[in-house]
Amino acid sequence: MSLLYAFKQSVLDLGRGEAKAKAKPLLVADENLDRSASGLDRRASERSVMFWLLSDRAMFLVVGSDPDDHAFRVPYEAISEMSLDYDDTSSFLPWYIRISISPEGPGVITTVAEGTIPGQPLTAPPPVQLDAEKRLMLSRGEIIPLAGFVACPKRFRTALKRRMELAARPLSVTGEEVAERRSRPTKQKR
């Protein structure tokens, strides 16, 4: 991996904390963020920095792009399908992730309200439900990219598989065997 890619990966790892802070106001009741993956909409540019955060009830999409940041809570039942594809020719962000969101139907998608609470400028604004038009725009990828290149740890993939299975939503994962072989340390001969 080149020095530039190593630097970019370090920046993405540091950005997870900020992404979690942006998603925190969207948590419902006792919900907690427990797994995350980070990446870019393209490997070679930083047009959008993307974070996929998981709880037991929803996926949180946090995307930073110039000049705006966006955070959405998408319940698993609002996801129509998802795929993860491993590229064994790349060592930087080797997984390509795509998510399709139902333009209408089950699952209330929320985002953080714009602005601040009068008299409480440091308090996060409350979550608001996306209206039908905004949900349609989100499902088309018009608000944020719904696909990107990602560093996707095994624990994230395992948790995602289980949660999508429980929500009866399709998840396609290709290349996982190759990814596992690449991640295992090779034994040295004596």
Side-chain angles (χ1 to χ4, degrees), residues 4-27:
L4 177 62
Y5 284 165
F7 175 73
K8 286 182 181 179
Q9 187 60 60
S10 297
V11 170
L12 287 171
D13 290 341
L14 291 171
R16 287 181 201 216
E18 187 175 341
K20 287 180 181 180
K22 289 185 185 306
K24 193 172 183 177
L26 297 172
L27 294 171

Side-chain angles (χ1 to χ4, degrees), residues 76-138:
Y76 295 111
E77 59 268 17
I79 298 172
S80 56
E81 66 179 314
M82 193 166 176
S83 66
L84 290 167
D85 300 303
Y86 184 74
D87 177 1
D88 63 347
T89 64
S90 179
S91 57
F92 177 64
L93 304 177
W95 288 94
Y96 185 66
I97 187 170
R98 284 183 305 275
I99 180 171
S100 296
I101 297 172
S102 300
E104 55 186 35
V108 174
I109 299 174
T110 57
T111 190
V112 178
E114 292 184 21
T116 59
I117 298 172
Q120 300 177 353
L122 299 179
T123 304
V128 293
Q129 180 176 338
L130 289 188
D131 61 30
E133 182 181 344
K134 288 273 192 194
R135 182 169 172 156
L136 180 61
M137 289 174 64
L138 179 67

Side-chain angles (χ1 to χ4, degrees), residues 25-103:
L26 297 172
L27 294 171
V28 175
D30 62 345
E31 189 175 34
N32 290 308
L33 301 170
D34 60 7
R35 294 282 174 255
S36 63
S38 60
L40 305 168
D41 64 331
R42 301 176 190 160
R43 279 194 191 110
S45 72
E46 292 77 33
R47 190 180 77 180
S48 291
V49 180
M50 307 170 75
F51 298 89
W52 295 266
L53 310 167
L54 304 180
S55 78
D56 60 336
R57 294 175 232 167
M59 174 178 287
F60 296 77
L61 304 174
V62 180
V63 177
S65 56
D66 195 26
D68 300 314
D69 291 342
H70 298 277
F72 296 94
R73 181 184 185 274
V74 182
Y76 295 111
E77 59 268 17
I79 298 172
S80 56
E81 66 179 314
M82 193 166 176
S83 66
L84 290 167
D85 300 303
Y86 184 74
D87 177 1
D88 63 347
T89 64
S90 179
S91 57
F92 177 64
L93 304 177
W95 288 94
Y96 185 66
I97 187 170
R98 284 183 305 275
I99 180 171
S100 296
I101 297 172
S102 300

